[in-house]
Amino acid sequence: MRVDVRILRYNPEVDTKPHYENYVVDQEPTDKVLDVLNTIKWYQDGTLSYRRSCAHGVCGSDAMRINGRNALACKLLVQDAGSSITIEPLLGFDVVKDLIVDMEDFWDGYKSIQPFLINNDPPPSGRERIQTPEEREIFDDTTKCIMCAACTTACPITWTNPDFIGPAAIVNAHRFIYDSRDKGGEERLEILNDRNGVWRCRTVFNCTDACPRGIKVTRAIEQVKRTLLYNS
Amino acid sequence: MATRLSRGGGRARPAGSGGFELFSWYFFRISGLALVFLAVFHVIIMHVINTVDEIDHAFVVDRWSSPFWQIYDFLLLTLALLHGVNGARVSIDDYFRSSSWRLAAYSALSLITLVFLVMGALAIVTFDPSQFEAVAGR
């Protein structure tokens, strides 16, 4: 099928501001939007820049705004995106080039919640730390995060306030706070109990809509808020 | 071109402003829940059971002669005002990036809140029907 593609391009070495460029490609309806980008880059305009790695919705490299909504280019099919597709970089971050954004703030937020197992007790001798399926169920949803930044850049608070830690960091904190094997929960809760932590969240639900993994992001944030309330 | 490399340990540790924000969030939930009942019953009483044509001086005198309705209206006033003002406060916090403009907006908002709260509370608490008889045409 014929697909009209409009891409927001920006090359800081040449352009003073971003501008749209139009392309026409022939794709199968069952192709992915990433295939559209590849067709353009490989056969029409090699200067087009974007991140992609696994191309199967696991690595989280190719989150971008497709027809105004954050999505993974490798997960959204052309037949679902339509014959006219507008592709723009994620909102709220500086554009490095074309569809590549500077995610340093995003990683800073992620690193600040200490995204690793904290437990100084040695594991039971001869085996790993075990937990019941019920204990796992509490945080199972937030283990699915691939850190594509679709949620954080869909959040209107992130657009106006770079100091906000962002939904993705809270999701990854949630993944450890409610893990029965982890002992760093209190420390992470203290980090999130801040004006720019969970309390900057206004419960807009954009993050939940944007998540390509279907994580109930807003619910995870609300769970952290309630834990802080009950602990206070 | 983004030349900045990793800053290592992530962002600076929070200054610990969570306490008030936690209270603010909880206040939103509790006042919102209370307002659902207070505001809905207010609308039913003022616009369904009675109409605006029936609500006159005598109606207000009768209503505010009861401490129950005085407390009801005082709660409606304070919770609705503070719930809304708290919303405006977080919007200012989100959108005013300059600290001096933010302080100016906070100050203006606080002043307006105080004026409205005092005016409304005085009207409810110090209401004296005898002062309004001439206006009410009695």
Side-chain angles (χ1 to χ4, degrees):
Chain A
M1 67 185 271
R2 177 195 153 111
V3 183
D4 293 297
V5 191
R6 196 163 155 258
I7 302 177
L8 191 62
R9 302 288 307 269
Y10 176 63
N11 180 354
E13 291 171 2
V14 180
D15 304 324
T16 50
K17 60 177 184 178
H19 63 280
Y20 287 97
E21 281 186 26
N22 296 300
Y23 304 89
V24 178
V25 293
D26 187 35
Q27 298 288 156
E28 293 296 323
T30 49
D31 281 346
K32 299 171 284 193
V33 174
L34 181 62
D35 296 321
V36 171
L37 290 171
N38 287 339
T39 301
I40 294 168
K41 184 171 179 70
W42 295 342
Y43 303 107
Q44 296 185 15
D45 185 351
T47 66
L48 178 65
S49 302
Y50 50 94
R51 286 194 180 105
R52 84 279 196 211
S53 186
C54 79
H56 287 80
V58 178
C59 73
S61 299
D62 62 355
M64 51 190 72
R65 243 180 329 149
I66 303 169
N67 292 338
R69 284 177 168 270
N70 284 359
L72 295 180
C74 61
K75 215 178 168 195
L76 186 64
L77 300 184
V78 170
Q79 62 189 10
D80 296 326
S83 58
S84 177
I85 304 176
T86 302
I87 304 174
E88 296 154 316
L90 294 171
L91 275 176
F93 293 153
D94 291 338
V95 176
V96 176
K97 192 186 176 201
D98 295 339
L99 301 173
I100 299 174
V101 292
D102 178 6
M103 293 177 69
E104 206 58 44
D105 280 344
F106 178 81
W107 299 120
D108 279 346
Y110 175 64
K111 280 182 275 189
S112 71
I113 55 93
Q114 310 195 43
F116 40 82
L117 187 87
I118 299 173
N119 191 340
N120 291 330
D121 301 335
S125 63
R127 60 182 172 89
E128 67 276 20
R129 295 185 172 92
I130 57 168
Q131 67 184 171
T132 66
E134 290 75 26
E135 285 171 332
R136 163 75 187 199
E137 182 61 32
I138 298 168
F139 66 97
D140 188 64
D141 196 37
T142 45
T143 63
K144 298 175 192 161
C145 179
I146 55 173
M147 288 173 285
C148 65
C151 60
T152 295
T153 54
C155 175
I157 308 306
T158 306
W159 304 337
T160 63
N161 198 320
D163 297 330
F164 177 39
I165 197 166
I170 303 171
V171 159
N172 283 282
H174 180 285
R175 180 254 171 274
F176 286 103
I177 289 168
Y178 300 99
D179 187 336
S180 59
R181 298 163 297 185
D182 186 88
K183 305 286 184 197
E186 287 301 318
E187 205 174 332
R188 293 191 185 89
L189 285 168
E190 192 188 318
I191 292 162
L192 295 178
N193 187 18
D194 180 68
R195 191 163 137 247
N196 288 317
V198 287
W199 306 121
R200 181 70 72 179
C201 164
R202 312 299 183 213
T203 327
V204 178
F205 279 93
N206 276 16
C207 50
T208 303
D209 283 345
C211 181
R213 304 282 291 177
I215 299 170
K216 296 181 181 71
V217 181
T218 314
R219 190 172 77 169
I221 298 172
E222 287 294 305
Q223 281 174 340
V224 173
K225 287 176 179 173
R226 283 179 197 189
T227 301
L228 284 167
L229 176 70
Y230 299 147
N231 286 1
S232 66
Chain B
M1 185 69 198
T3 51
R4 191 175 54 189
L5 295 173
S6 171
R7 287 186 228 143
R11 59 186 59 210
R13 278 305 175 88
S17 57
F20 176 74
E21 294 295 334
L22 189 155
F23 169 75
S24 154
W25 174 80
Y26 191 50
F27 174 75
F28 264 137
R29 265 61 189 168
I30 297 300
S31 59
L33 192 64
L35 282 168
V36 167
F37 296 101
L38 290 170
V40 166
F41 280 112
H42 178 82
V43 169
I44 290 172
I45 293 163
M46 295 303 210
H47 299 282
V48 180
I49 298 173
N50 301 288
T51 67
V52 282
D53 299 327
E54 295 163 13
I55 297 172
D56 54 10
H57 177 258
F59 181 92
V60 177
V61 170
D62 184 44
R63 185 177 161 89
W64 278 352
S65 64
S66 152
F68 174 81
W69 290 113
Q70 281 190 318
I71 293 169
Y72 186 100
D73 282 356
F74 183 76
L75 274 178
L76 187 61
L77 167 77
T78 49
L79 290 181
L81 186 66
L82 294 179
H83 187 99
V85 164
N86 201 22
R89 181 188 70 84
V90 297
S91 297
I92 290 169
D93 206 18
D94 287 341
Y95 291 102
F96 282 67
R97 302 303 303 140
S98 143
S99 55
S100 48
W101 276 110
R102 195 163 60 232
L103 182 65
Y106 279 155
S107 306
L109 185 69
S110 308
L111 187 67
I112 293 167
T113 309
L114 191 68
V115 168
F116 282 158
L117 204 58
V118 169
M119 280 171 67
L122 277 177
I124 296 169
V125 176
T126 68
F127 180 69
D128 178 5
S130 63
Q131 287 184 6
F132 296 94
E133 281 173 3
V135 187
R138 292 190 175 192

